[in-house]
Amino acid sequence: MAADEAGLPAREAMDFDVVIVGAGPAGLAAAIRLKQNAAAAGTEVSVVVVEKGSEVGAHILSGAVIDPVGLNRLIPDWKDRGAPVDTLVTEDQFLVLGPAGDIRLPNWPMPPLMKNHGNYIVSLGALCKWLGEQATELGVEIYPGFAATEVLYDEDGAVAGIATGDMGIGRDGEPKSDFVRGMELRAKYTFIAEGARGSLSKGLIRHFELAKGHEPQKYGIGLKELWQVAPAKHRPGLVQHTFGWPLDNRTGGGSFLYHYGDNLVAVGFVIHLNYANPYLSPYDEFQRFKTHPAIRDVFDGGKRIGYGARAITEGGWQSMPDLVFPGGALLGCAAGMVNLPRIKGSHNAILSGIAAADAASEAMASGRAHDKLSSYESEVRDGDIARDLKRVRNMKPYWSKFGTALGVALGGIDLWLNTIISGVGLGYTLKHGKTDAAATGKAADFKPIVYPKPDGKLTFDKLTDLSFSATNHEEDQPVHLKLADPRIPIVVNLPLYAEPAQRYCPAGVYEIVRDDKGDAKFQINAQNCVHCKTCDIKDPSQNINWVCPEGGGGPNYAGM
């Protein structure tokens, strides 16, 4: 085996028809559909799914209330097959919170898409685990614990597959005694379904200029705890959303409480990452939210059993990049298919997986490979995903421009117009403007926020909550949070922005520590990382690049 130019042994290679990066709803739906199509045509197709989590579902975090439209189309008999989709939504509540009180909004003025009739409260991690089992039964190969770290190109510049990361590299960059070279997985088509702000997605969007002509992608950070509450406090099927306190009118976001399963309540808080105040801490706002009189009683006598955080794509229709490139496609959240007002994306992720698989099946049946799957792009732009996203396209810009009170009201009117006039509304599409990083204000223009100390019962410190995510990384490996310039956190971000990384990170990865002389140092606790990618998005200097650590590292979410 010949050595490569870095002196390492050459990677072994395996060939497949389709390689899929990410065992989430989009990637697994694509894998299943590819096998279904092959069976219907009486042919064979080789499909492999690479997943950086230690197992399928380990890195899946969502609310989640799912619209079953995608699941119905993918596996119509999912109920008979034992899918973990059991709790039908029975009640919708929308609350506006103030510092001491709340107002419940009536349901009747809500546009139909905001109502959850027919939807289900689930653990998306459990659903993905089940989808993985369905895929495996069909002959899909799934490789958990392997991070896709490199895109492979052929001599014509088309994507020809991916390479998994080397294992057993020390922090100094040198191979250790347990070193194992990564694998090349080559394919006719490569689907990127790695979720929001994935490292391969980011590189492909830049390499092929897929974002050209589209608005910048917008993001939120979603934080979630899973609680087991007292039986008397449990209301199976209740879906509750709030906005308002503890956020001010200029900071977008809101909460969810979903009652399901064995006395389980999923509680979460989403903050739009275009917030201006660099002193704001999303994690501490989440903890403060739980103390509101309308909320805290639910958790009295209960116990928290899980915690996690992740970035959420919020740009919607106008931020969705071109979806195809020579040799592959972006699926699901990798392309930003979340419907922000509905706080739902898994249905569109599944639909995108189906559409990409159908396009690839048709292409391979006609002998094609490594070209653009234009029919996939057309299906997304003209089909059910378009109808879902186009009618809500102006909600985020209204909210960002006019604040919560007026922005939500204007967005609601726009939703009704788009509902009445078949997704067209008045025909305009608002722009998002600046990126979330550029929206960060200077520290001199804001006052530091003093957050209440956690009580250890309802509210918790960051590192204690982190322990409930089962996050773990091999410590002796290169830091996967790359600084383009190591000086910037102290020389630029600290004086101008009070170095917001120490607050926007939900896992305590970044710290400013001082030595005996009082000199500041930027410390990265990479082992704490829950792979939310917030630092990659929100750093005002765009100095942090999140890349995949060694496969199998990160959170190990259970039932999230």
Side-chain angles (χ1 to χ4, degrees), residues 140-165:
V140 175
E141 295 183 48
I142 301 179
Y143 297 160
F146 290 89
T149 61
E150 181 183 343
V151 175
L152 304 176
Y153 297 90
D154 66 16
E155 60 276 8
D156 297 320
V159 170
I162 59 93
T164 63

Side-chain angles (χ1 to χ4, degrees), residues 34-190:
L34 283 162
K35 286 292 188 177
Q36 291 173 337
N37 289 344
T43 60
E44 295 289 334
V45 63
S46 56
V47 183
V48 64
V49 179
V50 181
E51 166 57 41
K52 66 182 174 67
S54 61
E55 62 179 3
V56 175
H59 287 181
I60 297 295
L61 181 78
S62 184
V65 174
I66 67 163
D67 180 337
V69 59
L71 194 57
N72 289 341
R73 193 168 301 175
L74 180 68
I75 306 175
D77 60 342
W78 54 265
K79 289 184 180 180
D80 296 332
R81 289 174 174 265
V85 181
D86 304 309
T87 304
L88 192 65
V89 175
T90 58
E91 182 180 359
D92 266 321
Q93 291 185 3
F94 296 90
L95 304 179
V96 180
L97 301 185
D102 65 275
I103 299 173
R104 180 173 176 182
L105 300 178
N107 287 12
W108 62 265
M110 299 289 175
L113 84 163
M114 296 298 294
K115 299 175 182 179
N116 280 301
H117 178 74
N119 296 334
Y120 291 82
I121 306 171
V122 304
S123 158
L124 192 61
L127 178 58
C128 285
K129 190 172 183 178
W130 179 82
L131 286 172
E133 293 167 355
Q134 306 309 301
T136 300
E137 288 180 8
L138 292 171
V140 175
E141 295 183 48
I142 301 179
Y143 297 160
F146 290 89
T149 61
E150 181 183 343
V151 175
L152 304 176
Y153 297 90
D154 66 16
E155 60 276 8
D156 297 320
V159 170
I162 59 93
T164 63
D166 296 335
M167 309 280 278
I169 297 287
R171 186 169 287 248
D172 60 2
E174 296 297 321
K176 299 185 295 185
S177 60
D178 59 348
F179 172 78
V180 178
R181 195 73 162 103
M183 291 279 295
E184 290 189 359
L185 304 178
R186 297 187 168 272
K188 297 173 182 175
Y189 294 104
T190 302

Side-chain angles (χ1 to χ4, degrees), residues 437-460:
T440 309
K442 300 293 198 301
D445 297 329
F446 298 88
K447 294 181 179 180
I449 301 173
V450 179
Y451 290 101
K453 291 185 177 180
D455 61 17
K457 296 180 180 178
L458 175 64
T459 60
F460 310 98

